[in-house]
Amino acid sequence: MKTAVYLNIHADTYARFAHIRTQLLQASKESQANALGSVLSEMACEVIEQVFMVLLHENQDYSKTGESEKVIQQILEAVRKYMPWSISFFGNERLVPLVEYLSKTLLIEDDMIYMTYPVEQKLAEQVMTSAQKLAEGDSREIANALKRLTEVIDAGVTHLIREPKKCLKFNFVVDKTLNGVINMTTHLGYKRLEKLATQLDQQVAVTYVDYFLKFMRHPTDRG
């Protein structure tokens, strides 16, 4: 088993996705584009909130928290606007490869539903080494730890957004628009993490890194 990130998906969101997938595989005549756009938007927001919300809960300085909250809200608004819009262009047949790709990222385990993606072993080891140094009190490691976590998050963006987007074969104009949105939202999130690296004290940084490590499972883990 390779290292992977496991992010929770709400059961009702998964049920809606599974129903749409069934409709598509049964060649339903009724368009599934709007329903799929809505449910994928919901899934994306659930994932984003898990990854970034700890910045709000663990950071006691309101001025910093307020800034983080603003960034997260901007990202969520962009997802809710552009995800349904981008899916709305397609008939059911064109949606099947996307749904099949995403269904492979979903896993049910112990009554929990996860969206998963792999992390390169070298990066996973770098994250663990950095987390260890931080836990041992090395405050100089804060920036490096958050940089590594940003790389883990970006691997998720590639696996869960950039790659599946290719399944839809957008025309040039729409593809360019979506690439712009993806670049803008990831840049916002990553710059926020980079800035926080200069603001967090070592203990809060440890809390954030530990929080994120709970999403990562390594070859030695069971289950």
Side-chain angles (χ1 to χ4, degrees), residues 107-122:
L107 179 72
I108 302 175
E109 185 181 279
D110 299 329
D111 295 327
M112 298 290 286
I113 298 139
Y114 299 98
M115 183 166 254
T116 70
Y117 66 89
V119 176
E120 284 184 14
Q121 209 50 43
K122 185 182 175 188

Side-chain angles (χ1 to χ4, degrees), residues 187-206:
H187 179 74
L188 275 173
Y190 301 163
K191 287 303 282 182
R192 189 73 205 111
L193 284 173
E194 192 182 313
K195 191 171 180 186
L196 276 176
T198 66
Q199 298 172 332
L200 298 182
D201 64 35
Q202 184 254 346
Q203 210 46 56
V204 178
V206 167

Side-chain angles (χ1 to χ4, degrees), residues 131-145:
Q132 187 64 37
K133 285 183 186 173
L134 201 54
E136 288 166 1
D138 186 352
S139 58
R140 293 168 304 179
E141 194 62 28
I142 294 173
N144 193 42

Side-chain angles (χ1 to χ4, degrees), residues 30-106:
E30 190 180 342
S31 171
Q32 300 298 313
N34 289 338
L36 184 62
S38 170
V39 81
L40 293 185
S41 166
E42 215 46 56
M43 278 184 177
C45 289
E46 286 172 25
V47 163
I48 291 162
E49 285 173 347
Q50 280 173 82
V51 171
F52 288 112
M53 272 311 163
V54 72
L55 300 181
L56 310 185
H57 299 315
E58 298 301 340
N59 193 343
Q60 298 306 310
D61 181 332
Y62 182 74
S63 64
K64 295 173 195 167
T65 303
E67 210 175 322
S68 291
E69 189 166 17
K70 201 166 131 192
V71 167
I72 294 164
Q73 287 309 321
Q74 277 181 275
I75 294 170
L76 294 176
E77 281 166 19
V79 168
R80 290 193 172 112
K81 177 179 177 181
Y82 287 100
M83 185 80 79
W85 171 78
S86 64
I87 301 292
S88 69
F89 291 102
F90 297 103
N92 289 356
E93 274 182 33
R94 293 277 298 278
L95 296 175
V96 172
L98 172 68
V99 165
E100 288 304 274
Y101 177 102
L102 291 173
S103 70
K104 290 183 178 71
T105 72
L106 294 164

